[in-house]
Amino acid sequence: KQWYQRRVRGIGYRVGFSLVEKATKEEARFKENVEIVKYICKDLWQMLFRKQADNLKTNHTGTFVIQDNRFRFLTRVSQSKQYVDRGQLYLSYTCGVIRGALTNFGIPCTVTSELSVSPMCKFQISIQATS
């Protein structure tokens, strides 16, 4: 199970890295982390899921939470317990996409996901302090 999640996360990472590289080729680079995460919530989310993320929260110390109330990958997955693992794979892929996108912007981070009531989910971004 964990092997699949790592593999899917790696695929998402490559997709996010490449997508941002192509999408921002003509644009000026962002300066602030908040601007970059807003770009992910609006533009990248639109490219991937045909909608913007529903909510973005931050504690202004390098932690951001993206919330999607109707996550496109989960809207057709059954809410029964046996399908929770499949939902986690979709979330792992998206964690990889977010991490790949942020890495392309030069921001080292970790991304985790939380699935409370399907299809609502949250992605927590923890930006690593640079020395």
Side-chain angles (χ1 to χ4, degrees), residues 37-63:
V37 176
K38 282 182 183 178
Y39 171 82
I40 288 172
C41 287
K42 292 179 181 181
D43 299 334
L44 185 65
W45 224 257
Q46 184 73 38
M47 282 185 257
L48 293 169
F49 309 116
R50 297 184 186 149
K51 67 183 273 308
Q52 293 181 0
D54 294 306
N55 199 348
L56 171 64
K57 295 179 183 175
T58 182
N59 65 358
H60 300 287
T61 60
T63 301

Short mmCIF file of all heavy atoms in Angstrom, two decimals, residues 37-63:
data_model
loop_
_atom_site.label_atom_id
_atom_site.label_comp_id
_atom_site.label_asym_id
_atom_site.label_seq_id
_atom_site.Cartn_x
_atom_site.Cartn_y
_atom_site.Cartn_z
N VAL A 37 1.40 30.15 -3.49
CA VAL A 37 0.35 29.23 -3.05
C VAL A 37 -1.01 29.69 -3.58
O VAL A 37 -1.84 28.86 -3.96
CB VAL A 37 0.35 29.08 -1.51
CG1 VAL A 37 -0.79 28.20 -1.05
CG2 VAL A 37 1.69 28.51 -1.04
N LYS A 38 -1.24 31.00 -3.66
CA LYS A 38 -2.48 31.50 -4.28
C LYS A 38 -2.56 31.09 -5.74
O LYS A 38 -3.63 30.73 -6.23
CB LYS A 38 -2.57 33.02 -4.17
CG LYS A 38 -2.99 33.51 -2.82
CD LYS A 38 -3.11 35.02 -2.82
CE LYS A 38 -3.47 35.57 -1.46
NZ LYS A 38 -3.55 37.04 -1.46
N TYR A 39 -1.43 31.12 -6.45
CA TYR A 39 -1.38 30.68 -7.84
C TYR A 39 -1.81 29.20 -7.93
O TYR A 39 -2.57 28.82 -8.81
CB TYR A 39 0.03 30.86 -8.42
CG TYR A 39 0.20 30.21 -9.76
CD1 TYR A 39 -0.21 30.86 -10.92
CD2 TYR A 39 0.75 28.94 -9.87
CE1 TYR A 39 -0.08 30.26 -12.16
CE2 TYR A 39 0.88 28.33 -11.10
CZ TYR A 39 0.47 28.99 -12.24
OH TYR A 39 0.59 28.38 -13.47
N ILE A 40 -1.32 28.39 -6.99
CA ILE A 40 -1.68 26.97 -6.99
C ILE A 40 -3.17 26.80 -6.75
O ILE A 40 -3.84 26.01 -7.42
CB ILE A 40 -0.83 26.20 -5.95
CG1 ILE A 40 0.60 26.10 -6.48
CG2 ILE A 40 -1.41 24.82 -5.66
CD1 ILE A 40 1.59 25.56 -5.50
N CYS A 41 -3.73 27.56 -5.79
CA CYS A 41 -5.16 27.45 -5.46
C CYS A 41 -6.06 27.91 -6.60
O CYS A 41 -7.16 27.39 -6.76
CB CYS A 41 -5.48 28.29 -4.23
SG CYS A 41 -4.88 27.59 -2.72
N LYS A 42 -5.62 28.88 -7.34
CA LYS A 42 -6.46 29.43 -8.41
C LYS A 42 -6.13 28.80 -9.76
O LYS A 42 -6.91 28.03 -10.30
CB LYS A 42 -6.29 30.95 -8.48
CG LYS A 42 -6.84 31.68 -7.29
CD LYS A 42 -6.62 33.17 -7.41
CE LYS A 42 -7.17 33.89 -6.19
NZ LYS A 42 -6.97 35.33 -6.30
N ASP A 43 -4.97 29.11 -10.28
CA ASP A 43 -4.63 28.73 -11.65
C ASP A 43 -4.33 27.24 -11.82
O ASP A 43 -4.86 26.60 -12.72
CB ASP A 43 -3.45 29.57 -12.16
CG ASP A 43 -3.77 31.06 -12.16
OD1 ASP A 43 -4.95 31.42 -12.26
OD2 ASP A 43 -2.83 31.87 -12.05
N LEU A 44 -3.46 26.70 -10.97
CA LEU A 44 -3.11 25.29 -11.10
C LEU A 44 -4.33 24.41 -10.82
O LEU A 44 -4.57 23.44 -11.53
CB LEU A 44 -1.95 24.93 -10.17
CG LEU A 44 -1.41 23.52 -10.30
CD1 LEU A 44 -0.78 23.31 -11.68
CD2 LEU A 44 -0.39 23.23 -9.22
N TRP A 45 -5.09 24.75 -9.80
CA TRP A 45 -6.29 23.98 -9.46
C TRP A 45 -7.27 24.01 -10.64
O TRP A 45 -7.89 23.01 -10.96
CB TRP A 45 -6.94 24.55 -8.20
CG TRP A 45 -7.38 23.51 -7.22
CD1 TRP A 45 -8.65 23.07 -7.00
CD2 TRP A 45 -6.54 22.77 -6.31
NE1 TRP A 45 -8.67 22.12 -6.02
CE2 TRP A 45 -7.38 21.92 -5.57
CE3 TRP A 45 -5.18 22.76 -6.06
CZ2 TRP A 45 -6.90 21.05 -4.60
CZ3 TRP A 45 -4.70 21.90 -5.09
CH2 TRP A 45 -5.56 21.06 -4.38
N GLN A 46 -7.39 25.16 -11.28
CA GLN A 46 -8.27 25.32 -12.44
C GLN A 46 -7.81 24.41 -13.58
O GLN A 46 -8.63 23.76 -14.23
CB GLN A 46 -8.28 26.79 -12.89
CG GLN A 46 -9.24 27.09 -14.02
CD GLN A 46 -10.69 27.09 -13.59
OE1 GLN A 46 -11.02 27.53 -12.49
NE2 GLN A 46 -11.55 26.57 -14.42
N MET A 47 -6.50 24.37 -13.82
CA MET A 47 -5.97 23.50 -14.88
C MET A 47 -6.25 22.03 -14.60
O MET A 47 -6.60 21.27 -15.50
CB MET A 47 -4.45 23.68 -15.02
CG MET A 47 -4.02 24.92 -15.74
SD MET A 47 -2.23 24.93 -15.94
CE MET A 47 -1.77 26.10 -14.67
N LEU A 48 -6.11 21.63 -13.36
CA LEU A 48 -6.25 20.23 -12.99
C LEU A 48 -7.69 19.78 -12.78
O LEU A 48 -8.08 18.69 -13.20
CB LEU A 48 -5.46 19.94 -11.71
CG LEU A 48 -3.94 20.03 -11.81
CD1 LEU A 48 -3.33 19.99 -10.42
CD2 LEU A 48 -3.40 18.90 -12.66
N PHE A 49 -8.48 20.62 -12.12
CA PHE A 49 -9.80 20.18 -11.66
C PHE A 49 -10.96 21.00 -12.20
O PHE A 49 -12.10 20.84 -11.76
CB PHE A 49 -9.84 20.19 -10.12
CG PHE A 49 -8.70 19.46 -9.49
CD1 PHE A 49 -7.77 20.12 -8.71
CD2 PHE A 49 -8.54 18.10 -9.70
CE1 PHE A 49 -6.71 19.45 -8.13
CE2 PHE A 49 -7.47 17.42 -9.12
CZ PHE A 49 -6.56 18.10 -8.34
N ARG A 50 -10.67 21.96 -13.08
CA ARG A 50 -11.69 22.82 -13.70
C ARG A 50 -12.46 23.65 -12.68
O ARG A 50 -13.64 23.97 -12.88
CB ARG A 50 -12.65 22.00 -14.55
CG ARG A 50 -12.00 21.32 -15.70
CD ARG A 50 -12.98 20.62 -16.57
NE ARG A 50 -12.27 19.86 -17.58
CZ ARG A 50 -12.71 18.75 -18.09
NH1 ARG A 50 -13.87 18.25 -17.69
NH2 ARG A 50 -12.02 18.12 -19.00
N LYS A 51 -11.83 23.95 -11.58
CA LYS A 51 -12.40 24.82 -10.55
C LYS A 51 -11.28 25.29 -9.66
O LYS A 51 -10.20 24.70 -9.66
CB LYS A 51 -13.46 24.09 -9.72
CG LYS A 51 -12.91 22.97 -8.84
CD LYS A 51 -13.97 22.21 -8.10
CE LYS A 51 -14.41 22.71 -6.79
NZ LYS A 51 -13.64 23.03 -5.70
N GLN A 52 -11.50 26.37 -8.94
CA GLN A 52 -10.52 26.83 -7.98
C GLN A 52 -10.72 26.11 -6.65
O GLN A 52 -11.81 25.61 -6.36
CB GLN A 52 -10.65 28.34 -7.77
CG GLN A 52 -10.29 29.16 -8.99
CD GLN A 52 -10.41 30.65 -8.75
OE1 GLN A 52 -10.75 31.10 -7.67
NE2 GLN A 52 -10.12 31.43 -9.78
N ALA A 53 -9.67 26.06 -5.85
CA ALA A 53 -9.80 25.51 -4.50
C ALA A 53 -10.76 26.40 -3.72
O ALA A 53 -10.87 27.60 -3.97
CB ALA A 53 -8.44 25.44 -3.82
N ASP A 54 -11.47 25.82 -2.77
CA ASP A 54 -12.50 26.56 -2.05
C ASP A 54 -11.96 27.47 -0.95
O ASP A 54 -12.58 28.47 -0.63
CB ASP A 54 -13.52 25.58 -1.45
CG ASP A 54 -14.29 24.87 -2.54
OD1 ASP A 54 -14.87 25.56 -3.40
OD2 ASP A 54 -14.30 23.62 -2.54
N ASN A 55 -10.83 27.10 -0.36
CA ASN A 55 -10.35 27.88 0.78
C ASN A 55 -8.84 27.74 0.91
O ASN A 55 -8.29 26.68 0.63
CB ASN A 55 -11.03 27.37 2.06
CG ASN A 55 -10.98 28.36 3.18
OD1 ASN A 55 -10.26 29.35 3.12
ND2 ASN A 55 -11.74 28.09 4.23
N LEU A 56 -8.21 28.80 1.34
CA LEU A 56 -6.77 28.79 1.64
C LEU A 56 -6.57 29.48 2.98
O LEU A 56 -7.04 30.59 3.20
CB LEU A 56 -5.97 29.54 0.56
CG LEU A 56 -4.50 29.78 0.87
CD1 LEU A 56 -3.75 28.45 0.97
CD2 LEU A 56 -3.87 30.67 -0.19
N LYS A 57 -5.88 28.78 3.89
CA LYS A 57 -5.58 29.35 5.20
C LYS A 57 -4.08 29.28 5.41
O LYS A 57 -3.41 28.38 4.90
CB LYS A 57 -6.29 28.57 6.31
CG LYS A 57 -7.79 28.68 6.25
CD LYS A 57 -8.43 27.87 7.35
CE LYS A 57 -9.94 27.95 7.22
NZ LYS A 57 -10.62 27.09 8.18
N THR A 58 -3.57 30.21 6.18
CA THR A 58 -2.16 30.20 6.53
C THR A 58 -1.97 30.69 7.95
O THR A 58 -2.79 31.46 8.46
CB THR A 58 -1.32 31.07 5.56
OG1 THR A 58 0.05 30.98 5.92
CG2 THR A 58 -1.77 32.51 5.57
N ASN A 59 -0.88 30.25 8.58
CA ASN A 59 -0.54 30.77 9.90
C ASN A 59 0.60 31.78 9.80
O ASN A 59 1.14 32.20 10.81
CB ASN A 59 -0.18 29.62 10.86
CG ASN A 59 1.07 28.90 10.45
OD1 ASN A 59 1.70 29.21 9.42
ND2 ASN A 59 1.45 27.90 11.22
N HIS A 60 0.98 32.13 8.58
CA HIS A 60 2.03 33.11 8.30
C HIS A 60 3.41 32.70 8.83
O HIS A 60 4.28 33.54 9.00
CB HIS A 60 1.64 34.51 8.80
CG HIS A 60 0.39 35.02 8.19
ND1 HIS A 60 0.32 35.46 6.88
CD2 HIS A 60 -0.87 35.13 8.68
CE1 HIS A 60 -0.91 35.84 6.61
NE2 HIS A 60 -1.66 35.65 7.68
N THR A 61 3.59 31.43 9.11
CA THR A 61 4.91 30.94 9.51
C THR A 61 5.33 29.77 8.62
O THR A 61 6.12 28.92 9.04
CB THR A 61 4.94 30.52 10.99
OG1 THR A 61 3.99 29.47 11.17
CG2 THR A 61 4.66 31.68 11.91
N GLY A 62 4.78 29.71 7.42
CA GLY A 62 5.19 28.66 6.49
C GLY A 62 4.26 27.48 6.38
O GLY A 62 4.60 26.49 5.75
N THR A 63 3.08 27.56 6.98
CA THR A 63 2.11 26.47 6.86
C THR A 63 0.85 27.01 6.18
O THR A 63 0.32 28.04 6.57
CB THR A 63 1.74 25.90 8.24
OG1 THR A 63 2.93 25.42 8.87
CG2 THR A 63 0.74 24.76 8.12
#
